[in-house]
Amino acid sequence: MYPPPPPAPHRDFVSVTLSLGGSCDSRQGWRRRSCWRKWKQLSRLQRNMALFLLALLAVCGFLVYLNVAEQWRALSSSRAEERVRPAKAPVLPAPRKADAAPRDFPERPPQRPGKQFLRGPPNLQIRAPPGGQRRESTPGDALQGDVPRTVISWRGAVIEPEQGTELPSRPVEAPTRLPEPGPGIRNTAPPNERQKGVIAAFLHAWKGYRRFAWGHDELKPVSKSFSEWFGLGLTLVDALDTMWILGLKSEFQEARNWVSQKLHFDKDVEVNLFESTIRILGGLLSAYHLSGDSLFLRKAEDFGHRLLPAFKTPSKVPYSDVNIGTGVARPPRWTSDSTVAEVTSIQLEFRELSRLTGIKAFREAAEEVSRHIHSLSGKKDGLVPMFINTHSGLFTHLGVFTLGARADSYYEYLLKQWIQGGKKETQLLDDYLRAIQGVRTHLLRRSEPSKLTFVGELAHGHFSAKMDHLVCFLPGTLALGVHHGLPADHMELALLLMETCYQMNRQMETGLSPEIAHFNLHPKPGYRDVQVKPSDRHNLLRPETVESLFYLYRLTRDPKYQDWGWEILQSFNQHTRVPSGGYSSINNVQDVQRPQPRDKMESFFLGETLKYLYLLFSEDHGLLSLDTHVFNTEAHPLPIWPSA
Ligand code: DMJ
């Protein structure tokens, strides 16, 4: 007789061995049986832990994949072929009457705000603390000047203004002189019904900004909060001239007081040279011209000095980012390249600042870049690549050509600088004309079934039927060129492209364009001209379509352009308006039930989109006449220089 087996010893530890080779190696069958036997020998706790670890690994892997995929999309401009989703019928209902009531977002939107897609390095985006509505500072505070002055660095840390920020040295060459401001705008007829609709939209947007984001960069209308990009009151500065043009005097005055008392540039913050030039420098210069208030010019001059260190590179092609407190400039973290559109779309502003202040350095720095790029090889019939290296001064990523992101305003500023300077700088005109011919030769196609003319992209000889909404600046720019004496066939192209841009809006269920459209090149049953990939179906409240509608109406007086603009304004009201104040960019222009607000109102919605709509509906073609003004790429009007 043997004694009964002893009870299994109690284990007071857990051991999990995950072996990927070793004992379970060579022969398949044996390995499977052996692994299974080992698994059965584990206690329940051990098995649960092993399963838990595997599940954790899977979740981590999935999250890493999502992150990498998103970054790749942002960096590569979504060039990889994805499955496209055709725009579906029915498209928009018939245009509504002028008095149709806007339909708000519900007070509490049924879905969570969509994921934020950040511009630039993620830590540039400073967020309001959690907790919804935030009492940070209000217009009243600004007027009373009773809030202790703290500043926020781009890293999000609150710092004292005195803290070690050596100011960029100020050149001593010319004392600031304050010339007479430009012609401004005449007092015109009271706003018509559609212009009143724009004013109502502006006031609604401003209400949200004033209540929840006053003095901060951007309103987050759904969460009733704000986000910081540069910490310089971006929306407020971008909107100054719009308020002046719309006749919103008390709002303008309140904002002007904030600029006077709260807008200080002696801060340890990094700004993007291009974005801050077109929005802040452009906004201040325009506010100065319209109001004649020298405060804005003084601020512009101070800001301009703080941007100049960006140009101190081996090639004189500026870095993308500059710290306006320390004067330290640098390229983006991931490259030493700058974007071609960015380095070539700051000239209108720097040239004007130079003219107003008498300080040559502003103009010289900006024009040096223009001259350099004019003589650079790597173009294709006037079309430029998207990147340029700040050390070598050479184009990089050769062979890729687009009129969209990263190249767009290069073309716009060729024409507009030529106009600004009195049409004397023929080098700019030559480059512009050559580029438009390059567009015709390489990038123009017609879609099926409606034969819409669109501007695609070229990558190493391969044509892609992809057009960013950003490209919709082009019909307006072409028309502007014709107004200033360029060939009539540019207007023919402008009219065709304008129709296409309108259809990019109209063929979407919300009536709002996606960020990127793909055009159908081959007749296919059931396919529309405009197709949208899931990753491209957001709308950021961008201005380009209504910008071009403004030019086309001014120069043709065809009322259909006003009607199209009115439709778009109503679509913004129906699908992006947040009841408590503000408008939000949305994630899905193809879903009227769930447009998915992104909880962000971009500053250009007030600086550009609503301004161009207001001007589009004006019958006074002397209001900011195209013979006396040129709009920068952020819609800030600057004077055409009086001829010498
Ligand atoms: C604006 O900042 C400017 O219009 C720029 O040229 C392009 N991007 C936005 C608007 O879409």
Side-chain angles (χ1 to χ4, degrees):
M1 289 268 302
Y2 294 99
H10 172 71
R11 292 171 201 264
D12 57 359
F13 63 91
V14 174
S15 161
V16 178
T17 306
L18 294 176
S19 172
L20 298 176
S23 61
C24 301
D25 52 8
S26 55
R27 286 154 299 169
Q28 287 287 326
W30 177 84
R31 188 167 58 191
R32 241 181 269 125
R33 275 198 306 278
S34 175
C35 287
W36 178 243
R37 204 174 301 128
K38 282 192 174 217
W39 175 255
K40 296 283 282 182
Q41 284 168 355
L42 295 177
S43 73
R44 181 178 298 163
L45 180 59
Q46 286 173 316
R47 282 188 223 159
N48 284 345
M49 284 205 60
L51 288 172
F52 173 74
L53 279 174
L54 282 173
L56 196 63
L57 279 173
V59 169
C60 289
F62 182 63
L63 289 177
V64 168
Y65 165 76
L66 281 184
N67 195 26
V68 168
E70 183 179 305
Q71 285 180 14
W72 170 249
R73 262 205 309 277
L75 286 171
S76 67
S77 300
S78 305
R79 282 204 159 59
E81 280 304 314
E82 293 176 62
R83 200 165 60 83
V84 293
R85 176 180 167 193
K88 282 193 189 128
V91 290
L92 274 183
R96 287 166 287 273
K97 289 223 160 50
D99 56 359
R103 206 189 76 206
D104 287 338
F105 280 163
E107 179 67 47
R108 296 185 67 79
Q111 65 273 352
R112 289 157 59 86
K115 187 169 183 182
Q116 292 288 318
F117 288 78
L118 306 182
R119 288 171 298 206
N123 51 5
L124 272 175
Q125 301 281 332
I126 303 162
R127 295 204 155 63
Q133 184 170 348
R134 173 185 165 123
R135 176 71 169 79
E136 172 71 7
S137 63
T138 64
D141 293 337
L143 291 171
Q144 292 154 21
D146 60 357
V147 176
R149 198 171 141 235
T150 53
V151 294
I152 305 172
S153 82
W154 62 267
R155 292 183 181 81
V158 176
I159 57 172
E160 296 305 318
E162 298 78 17
Q163 234 172 4
T165 56
E166 194 184 314
L167 296 181
S169 59
R170 190 197 144 111
V172 285
E173 50 179 289
T176 301
R177 60 186 171 82
L178 301 177
E180 287 299 302
I185 46 178
R186 289 180 285 120
N187 269 341
T188 51
N192 58 40
E193 286 309 302
R194 286 179 171 180
Q195 286 180 305
K196 283 182 189 165
V198 180
I199 292 172
F202 184 96
L203 288 174
H204 183 77
W206 194 246
K207 179 176 92 175
Y209 178 76
R210 195 174 176 278
R211 283 177 71 189
F212 307 124
W214 183 254
H216 296 285
D217 282 344
E218 290 153 327
L219 169 67
K220 296 177 69 166
V222 178
S223 56
K224 301 178 182 170
S225 181
F226 62 84
S227 61
E228 295 289 33
W229 190 5
F230 309 139
L232 296 174
L234 196 60
T235 295
L236 187 150
V237 179
D238 219 358
L240 283 167
D241 57 2
T242 307
M243 288 184 268
W244 186 273
I245 293 163
L246 270 54
L248 301 173
K249 291 202 176 115
S250 62
E251 287 78 6
F252 179 87
Q253 188 58 36
E254 192 175 43
R256 186 260 179 222
N257 288 341
W258 184 89
V259 171
S260 166
Q261 295 170 28
K262 299 287 178 183
L263 183 60
H264 304 290
F265 299 127
D266 53 338
K267 287 179 165 185
D268 183 9
V269 294
E270 269 189 340
V271 300
N272 174 283
L273 173 68
F274 163 73
E275 297 287 1
S276 63
T277 296
I278 65 169
R279 301 186 199 212
I280 296 176
L281 190 53
L284 291 170
L285 289 172
S286 176
Y288 166 66
H289 274 294
L290 295 178
S291 69
D293 186 337
S294 62
L295 164 75
F296 298 116
L297 182 56
R298 287 199 304 274
K299 294 282 178 187
E301 186 189 341
D302 181 16
F303 194 59
H305 282 301
R306 292 167 187 280
L307 296 180
L308 278 181
F311 294 87
K312 288 185 183 146
T313 69
S315 66
K316 299 192 180 161
V317 172
Y319 288 127
S320 61
D321 298 278
V322 56
N323 186 311
I324 57 172
T326 63
V328 174
R330 62 164 183 83
R333 283 180 224 294
W334 53 87
T335 173
S336 58
D337 291 350
S338 286
T339 299
V340 169
E342 293 195 355
V343 302
T344 56
S345 309
I346 48 181
Q347 281 71 14
L348 286 178
E349 299 82 356
F350 274 88
R351 282 155 48 112
E352 177 60 5
L353 183 61
S354 190
R355 188 181 75 93
L356 291 174
T357 61
I359 298 171
K360 294 195 189 87
F362 294 129
R363 181 172 185 164
E364 281 164 2
E367 290 191 341
E368 176 71 32
V369 185
S370 301
R371 280 193 295 273
H372 176 77
I373 290 194
H374 170 74
S375 57
L376 209 52
S377 62
K379 296 177 199 150
K380 189 178 183 76
D381 294 336
L383 303 176
V384 288
M386 296 151 73
F387 295 99
I388 185 163
N389 190 277
T390 49
H391 292 283
S392 68
L394 300 175
F395 288 128
T396 63
H397 301 74
L398 298 178
V400 181
F401 302 100
T402 175
L403 265 275
R406 301 197 173 102
D408 48 359
S409 42
Y410 161 74
Y411 305 100
E412 178 187 351
Y413 269 37
L414 288 175
L415 178 73
K416 288 184 173 177
Q417 285 179 84
W418 176 69
I419 294 170
Q420 178 191 42
K423 306 184 199 172
K424 295 173 191 140
E425 299 151 291
T426 51
Q427 179 174 302
L428 294 162
L429 177 64
D430 291 347
D431 286 354
Y432 176 75
L433 291 172
R434 193 169 300 124
I436 298 305
Q437 191 52 45
V439 170
R440 284 186 187 282
T441 308
H442 301 289
L443 303 182
L444 275 194
R445 294 283 192 288
R446 293 209 295 171
S447 66
E448 296 290 346
S450 307
K451 313 237 177 286
L452 299 175
T453 299
F454 69 95
V455 182
E457 298 185 354
L458 200 63
H460 311 293
H462 173 75
F463 180 80
S464 166
K466 163 182 180 280
M467 178 165 152
D468 295 352
H469 179 264
L470 288 168
V471 182
C472 289
F473 81 92
L474 188 58
T477 298
L478 286 167
L480 178 66
V482 175
H483 178 67
H484 284 281
L486 300 192
D489 63 355
H490 284 207
M491 185 57 105
E492 288 161 25
L493 182 55
L495 300 181
L496 293 171
L497 291 174
M498 190 72 261
E499 170 74 30
T500 304
C501 289
Y502 170 59
Q503 289 300 332
M504 284 168 62
N505 290 267
R506 181 142 171 79
Q507 293 195 12
M508 297 302 113
E509 283 76 353
T510 56
L512 296 172
S513 170
E515 178 73 358
I516 300 171
H518 287 257
F519 286 86
N520 184 27
L521 286 174
H522 308 289
K524 290 180 208 154
Y527 270 57
R528 291 188 173 274
D529 297 75
V530 184
Q531 304 174 22
V532 188
K533 293 178 182 175
S535 55
D536 300 336
R537 58 191 180 197
H538 47 290
N539 179 293
L540 304 184
L541 314 173
R542 285 196 192 278
E544 288 76 15
T545 299
V546 296
E547 170 184 353
S548 282
L549 287 173
F550 156 65
Y551 285 106
L552 270 279
Y553 180 67
R554 267 285 165 101
L555 301 175
T556 68
R557 305 202 181 199
D558 184 337
K560 80 178 176 190
Y561 297 123
Q562 288 185 325
D563 294 341
W564 292 356
W566 183 243
E567 280 177 41
I568 290 171
L569 176 60
Q570 288 183 302
S571 294
F572 279 130
N573 276 328
Q574 287 182 322
H575 303 294
T576 71
R577 189 176 192 268
V578 181
S580 49
Y583 289 74
S584 173
S585 47
I586 56 174
N587 263 335
N588 192 348
V589 295
Q590 293 182 303
D591 191 340
V592 285
Q593 300 305 324
R594 287 172 50 85
Q596 297 171 35
R598 284 183 153 199
D599 196 15
K600 164 111 92 170
M601 184 172 78
E602 301 277 352
S603 77
F604 51 68
F605 184 63
L606 301 188
E608 292 195 76
T609 309
L610 294 179
K611 184 189 292 155
Y612 279 130
L613 279 166
Y614 185 85
L615 294 174
L616 164 66
F617 299 140
S618 171
E619 299 302 342
D620 178 2
H621 295 195
L623 174 63
L624 293 170
S625 161
L626 298 176
D627 293 318
T628 53
H629 290 82
V630 62
F631 290 83
N632 86 340
T633 192
E634 188 75 5
H636 296 304
L638 301 172
I640 295 173
W641 297 343
S643 43

